[in-house]
């Protein structure tokens, strides 16, 4: 062992002594672009590069992925500046007059199979320390070489397994055909490039926390697109969100022009001003833009089909080396332009942070603590300051737009109201996340057009146009409670109102408790209990640790309990009534595989494992018949899985199974015998005029809804709606479907979108469209979620609906 340690020490010493001879090839053992590099070797490469250039580079680990791969940042600067890194950060955060350096953040491989990014990061890092070191005189460069190591290693491992030697250039070969779910998403199959603002994933949460500590002047997100596409760089396409400043627009053009000069010299193809807009706030270009950066996306042709080399549709060979070279060129060009314009970048960023003149000066949020908690947590992770009205003195505020009724009115601020000001450091982001109406300069968009947070979180809200509303800076509620047991109580009752209710239920069941819920409301001890209230009955849980364990689990999850002295209630049904149902400890399955949307599989998987803390069985469709006898609930995700004609599945439902179908998967059941789901086409535009070729794309969006928010009507007495007073759905499909049995959530008559784009030809057909409901099928049930309530994990108010479907619907 001593000899081994000595050998390692001598090797390290030798390496350090030969640091001046460092090259990427000498360290890796191959030229960058001729192989794919796994994350562990990428991390070791950056540490070795730091060892070779210790005065100009610093590597920090900022977190781990779900699969425990390291997430790192590399900082580059002159020897003098690198010694003052924290001082530079503080000066930037404080908008110091002495600030002189432009801060540039380069992010690579947020999509794991867009694999040239990380290879380009390694080459760009080396060149910043060697032939382009002069750029560092006026800049600090921060580099994240791989935002999604789990997805990238999934891709790299696939390619290493199936790649030919030499590479097979034909795209029909195995090395160009990634299996499901591909390397694009992270462990839970989320698209991390749509998660910047929501931070539902651990990679996003850890990264954005570090990003918000720096808030760079320039941020670039390196991507890849289809193999037949040339290189894309800014300026971006319309629509730009209206809050984006003229300077942010102009510098994108300057950056693009500089890139073009290098590409023109080499004869490389490129395009700009198309496809990739700046609207949806949770991208790697828009989130930085709304935080004051020059946020940009760069797209190289390639992605998961390109491998090491592939023949494109025009007969050219696109190699990994080519793709790396292009990304290195734009990365260095970005740093070059930032160095040349450091003074202007600093000045404009400080102006961005100082000028906050928006229509709504304050957003007021009012709801129960349980509803407000997750939204306040999101504000905290985004670095947004929140105030709270802590006194009972009521102040009037005029010209307040009420999100729920669409009217401008006078309101009185109440104790417990949350206030979020737009005149703060993150005020632009506040405005974008909360604005009731998103202005579109162009209806052709790359993503959804509405995300208004009061609707997403189900809280009442107002936007106040006049300044002056003030509260006390809010630091948060207790994350645990210290309730004490009530010995001898007949039962403990807990409201069913949020995701913490579901975690409480999960932990109780895991601890072996039988938990009940009430189908009908009741009143006891002067307090009203809504339908869906959880009941832990002493008589049904005869154990010595009953009080201590129930209270321990409740306190851990910050769930308030009411100790009920008797099963005899003042109003409603007694606790021994048949309306009190035992909640089964369900065995839950989730179908996965080639015909399933990996994104929706991930949304459901993450919901149960990470948000509810409950295990779920991932089942490939080929194994469904074997799995069915072991399951009581089965989720069918969006995609092309067809079960409507599956005799085994039908029999399983009839015998008491619960099938939960999401999104476009519901179409498999539309109009078929035995299924109470039909389609109504109320579009009267039956005669269509010819459309010129140049206008066909715009004509098609007249039939689409691109993420619009609608108010729903609901049946609050139905188990699927327990915990809801109202609900707003994020609608992405334009078809009008009807659930003819329990049509629990549906749009209002003559429904109009509260926010977001709705095509002119489909506006009228949204009237009374079904959103969510269910039907009995033998002893079981089929629950239809026509709009996906778990979309990207950020539509918080939809989550309880999924839990209701699992625990309350059709329980006898």
């Amino acid at each position: 062992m001593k000899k081994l340690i000595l050998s390692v020490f001598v090797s390290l010493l030798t390496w350090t002594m030969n640091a001046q001879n460092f090259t990427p090839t000498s360290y890796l053992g191959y030229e960058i672009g001729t192989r794919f590099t796994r994350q562990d070797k990428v991390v070791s490469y950056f540490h070795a590069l730091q060892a070779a250039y210790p005065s100009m580079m610093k590597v920090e680990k900022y977190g781990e992925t779900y699969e425990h791969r390291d997430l790192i940042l590399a900082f580059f600067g002159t020897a003098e500046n690198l010694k003052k890194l924290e001082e530079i950060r503080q000066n930037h955060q404080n908008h110091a007059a002495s600030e002189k350096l432009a801060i540039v953040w380069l992010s690579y491989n947020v999509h794991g199979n867009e694999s040239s990014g990380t290879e380009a990061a390694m080459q760009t890092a080396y060149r910043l320390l060697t032939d382009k070191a002069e750029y560092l005189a006026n800049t600090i460069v921060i580099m994240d070489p791989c935002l999604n190591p789990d997805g990238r290693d999934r891709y790299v491992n696939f390619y290493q397994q199936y790649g030919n030697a030499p590479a097979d250039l034909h795209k029909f070969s195995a090395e160009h055909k990634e299996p499901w779910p591909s390397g694009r998403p992270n462990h839970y199959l989320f698209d991390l490039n749509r998660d910047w603002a929501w931070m539902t994933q651990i990679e996003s949460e850890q990264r954005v926390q570090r990003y918000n500590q720096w808030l760079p002047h320039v941020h670039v997100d390196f991507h890849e697109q289809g193999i037949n596409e040339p290189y894309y760089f800014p300026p971006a396409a319309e629509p730009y969100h209206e809050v984006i400043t003229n300077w942010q627009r102009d510098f994108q053009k300057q950056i693009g022009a500089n890139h073009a000069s290098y590409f023109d010299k080499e004869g490389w193809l490129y395009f700009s001003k198309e496809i990739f807009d700046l609207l949806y706030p949770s991208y790697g270009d828009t989130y930085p833009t709304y935080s004051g950066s020059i946020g940009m996306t760069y797209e190289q042709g390639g992605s998961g089909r390109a491998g090491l080399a592939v023949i494109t549709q025009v007969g050219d060979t696109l190699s990994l080396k080519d793709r790396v070279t292009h990304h290195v060129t734009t990365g260095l060009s970005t740093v070059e332009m930032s160095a040349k314009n450091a003074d202007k970048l600093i000045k404009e960023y400080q102006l961005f942070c100082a000028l906050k003149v928006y229509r709504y000066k304050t957003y007021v949020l009012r709801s129960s603590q349980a509803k407000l908690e997750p939204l306040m947590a999101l504000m905290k992770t985004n670095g947004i300051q929140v105030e709270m009205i802590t006194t009972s003195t009521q102040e009037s505020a005029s010209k307040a737009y009420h999100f729920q009724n669409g009217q401008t009115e006078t309101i009185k601020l109440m104790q417990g109201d949350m206030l979020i000001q737009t005149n703060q450091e993150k005020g632009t982001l506040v405005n974008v996340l909360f604005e009731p109406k998103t202005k579109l300069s162009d209806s052709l968009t790359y993503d959804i057009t509405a995300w208004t947070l009061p609707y997403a979180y189900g809280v009442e809200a107002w936007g106040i146009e006049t300044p002056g509303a003030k509260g006390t800076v809010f630091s948060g509620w207790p994350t645990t409670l210290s309730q004490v047991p009530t010995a001898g109580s007949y039962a403990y009752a807990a409201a069913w109102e949020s995701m913490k209710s579901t975690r409480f239920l999960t932990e109780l069941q895991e601890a072996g408790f039988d938990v009940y819920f009430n189908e009908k409301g009741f009143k006891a001890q002067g307090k009203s209990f809504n339908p869906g209230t959880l009941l832990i009955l002493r008589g049904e849980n005869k154990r010595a640790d009953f009080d201590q364990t129930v209270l321990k689990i409740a306190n851990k999850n910050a769930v308030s309990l009411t100790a009920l002295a008797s099963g005899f209630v003042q109003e409603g049904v007694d606790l021994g009534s048949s309306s009190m149902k035992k909640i089964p400890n369900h065995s839950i399955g989730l179908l996965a595989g080639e015909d399933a949307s990996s994104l929706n599989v991930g949304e459901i998987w993450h919901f149960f494992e990470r948000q509810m803390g409950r295990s779920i069985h991932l089942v490939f469709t080929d194994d469904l018949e074997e799995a069915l006898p072991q399951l009581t609930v089965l989720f069918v995700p969006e995609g092309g899985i067809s079960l409507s004609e599956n005799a085994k599945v039908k029999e399983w439902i009839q015998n008491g199974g619960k099938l939960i179908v999401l999104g476009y998967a519901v179409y498999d059941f539309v109009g078929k015998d035995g299924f109470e789901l039909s389609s109504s086409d109320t579009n009267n535009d039956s005669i269509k005029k010819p459309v010129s070729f140049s206008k066909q794309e715009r004509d098609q969006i007249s039939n689409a809804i691109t993420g619009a928010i609608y108010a729903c009507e609901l049946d609050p007495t139905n188990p699927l709606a327990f915990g809801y007073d109202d609900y707003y759905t994020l609608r992405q499909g334009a078809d009008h479907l009807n659930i003819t049995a329990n049509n629990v959530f549906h749009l209002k008559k003559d429904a109009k979108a509260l926010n977001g784009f709705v095509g002119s030809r489909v506006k009228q057909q949204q009237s009374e469209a079904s959103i969510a409901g269910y039907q009995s099928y033998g002893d079981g049930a089929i629950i239809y979620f026509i709009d996906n309530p778990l979309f990207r994990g950020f539509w918080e108010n939809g989550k309880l609906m999924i839990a209701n479907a699992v625990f309350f619907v059709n329980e006898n």
Side-chain angles (χ1 to χ4, degrees), residues 295-342:
M296 296 173 289
T297 288
Y298 298 170
E299 296 267 358
Q300 162 64 48
S303 200
R305 296 203 67 185
L308 288 179
V310 68
I311 297 174
T312 67
Q313 65 183 9
V314 296
D316 287 341
T317 298
L318 176 65
S319 71
L320 178 61
K321 290 180 68 175
D322 294 333
R323 292 149 58 198
V324 169
T325 299
H326 299 160
H327 268 338
V328 170
T329 300
T330 56
L332 292 174
S333 171
T334 301
V335 180
E336 175 190 24
M337 286 296 290
S338 300
K340 289 179 178 178
N341 294 275

Side-chain angles (χ1 to χ4, degrees), residues 746-797:
H746 56 87
L747 299 189
K748 298 179 178 180
K749 187 175 179 61
D750 300 323
K752 294 182 180 179
L754 297 166
N755 196 11
F757 176 80
V758 179
S760 59
R761 287 199 287 266
V762 295
K763 285 182 178 180
Q764 299 305 315
Q765 71 185 50
Q766 302 312 306
S767 179
E768 299 182 297
S770 294
I771 299 302
Y774 65 94
Q775 67 169 95
S776 296
Y777 195 87
D779 291 334
I782 306 172
I783 298 99
Y784 304 107
F785 288 104
I786 295 166
D787 288 354
N788 175 13
L790 298 180
F791 182 70
R792 294 183 184 167
F794 89 95
W795 204 257
E796 187 72 23
N797 204 30

Side-chain angles (χ1 to χ4, degrees), residues 591 619-630 646 648-649:
L591 285 176
V619 180
F620 288 120
T621 51
D622 289 345
D623 301 316
L624 177 57
E625 190 170 327
E626 178 185 351
L628 273 178
Q630 312 300 319
N646 188 309
K648 293 285 186 182
V649 172

Side-chain angles (χ1 to χ4, degrees), residues 626-673:
E626 178 185 351
L628 273 178
Q630 312 300 319
L631 304 175
T632 56
V633 175
L634 178 64
F635 278 84
V636 184
E638 296 204 56
I641 297 173
S642 178
L643 298 181
S644 63
E645 305 297 331
N646 188 309
K648 293 285 186 182
V649 172
K650 289 181 177 180
E651 180 183 7
W652 173 79
I653 303 171
Q654 289 171 333
N655 290 333
K658 205 179 289 189
L659 193 72
I660 302 176
V661 190
L662 282 85
Y664 287 103
V666 303
Y667 285 86
D668 181 43
F669 299 86
V670 173
K672 295 182 180 178
D673 289 344

Side-chain angles (χ1 to χ4, degrees), residues 89 128 134 148 164 185 261 268 280 305 329 353 377 473 542 548 561 567 586 648 663 665 712 763 765 793:
R89 188 187 74 82
L128 281 172
E134 70 271 17
N148 182 9
N164 290 10
S261 68
W268 297 334
Y280 173 69
R305 296 203 67 185
T329 300
C353 293
V473 174
K542 294 181 171 65
Q548 290 76 12
L561 296 181
H586 283 293
K648 293 285 186 182
C712 289
K763 285 182 178 180
Q765 71 185 50

